[in-house]
Amino acid sequence: MKYLKVINLIIFILFFFFIINFYFSENFLQIKNKNRKNFSIYLDNEINKIKVINTKKDFKEFQDNSNYFKKNTEEKKFWQLLKTK
């Protein structure tokens, strides 16, 4: 059991060491910056391709919907609905 723990510890330390070295390497940083610039250019191009709908309508203008909300029929009251003939 002790050997297994020691082997796992060594593997972890090596893995951690390689990850840290790769992350701070000059090559990785250059690639990362290049990819970010390319993605930024791509996003700018895609944003420019989006069609914009221009409207001349004034959305602040008041619309009178009172005719729509008027009741055409008179609603019966609850107790009138319960009455039977």
Side-chain angles (χ1 to χ4, degrees):
M1 198 64 175
K2 289 180 181 181
Y3 296 123
L4 184 63
K5 287 183 180 181
V6 171
I7 291 172
N8 285 336
L9 179 66
I10 292 171
I11 290 173
F12 174 75
I13 291 172
L14 286 173
F15 179 75
F16 192 72
F17 176 75
F18 285 128
I19 293 271
I20 296 297
N21 279 342
F22 177 71
Y23 186 74
F24 291 113
S25 70
E26 191 65 32
N27 187 25
F28 176 75
L29 294 175
Q30 289 174 355
I31 291 172
K32 182 175 69 169
N33 290 332
K34 180 180 142 192
N35 288 337
R36 285 183 180 174
K37 286 178 185 176
N38 288 341
F39 188 69
S40 177
I41 292 170
Y42 168 76
L43 283 180
D44 289 339
N45 289 337
E46 289 299 315
I47 288 172
N48 291 334
K49 289 180 185 178
I50 294 175
K51 294 180 181 177
V52 177
I53 299 173
N54 295 325
T55 60
K56 296 179 183 177
K57 189 171 184 175
D58 184 16
F59 289 102
K60 294 182 180 180
E61 180 181 322
F62 176 73
Q63 294 181 358
D64 185 21
N65 291 330
S66 60
N67 290 332
Y68 177 77
F69 291 109
K70 284 183 181 176
K71 294 180 181 178
N72 294 336
T73 59
E74 186 177 319
E75 292 182 9
K76 294 186 177 182
K77 294 182 182 176
F78 178 73
W79 295 109
Q80 290 175 346
L81 292 172
L82 291 179
K83 287 183 182 177
T84 56
K85 292 184 180 180

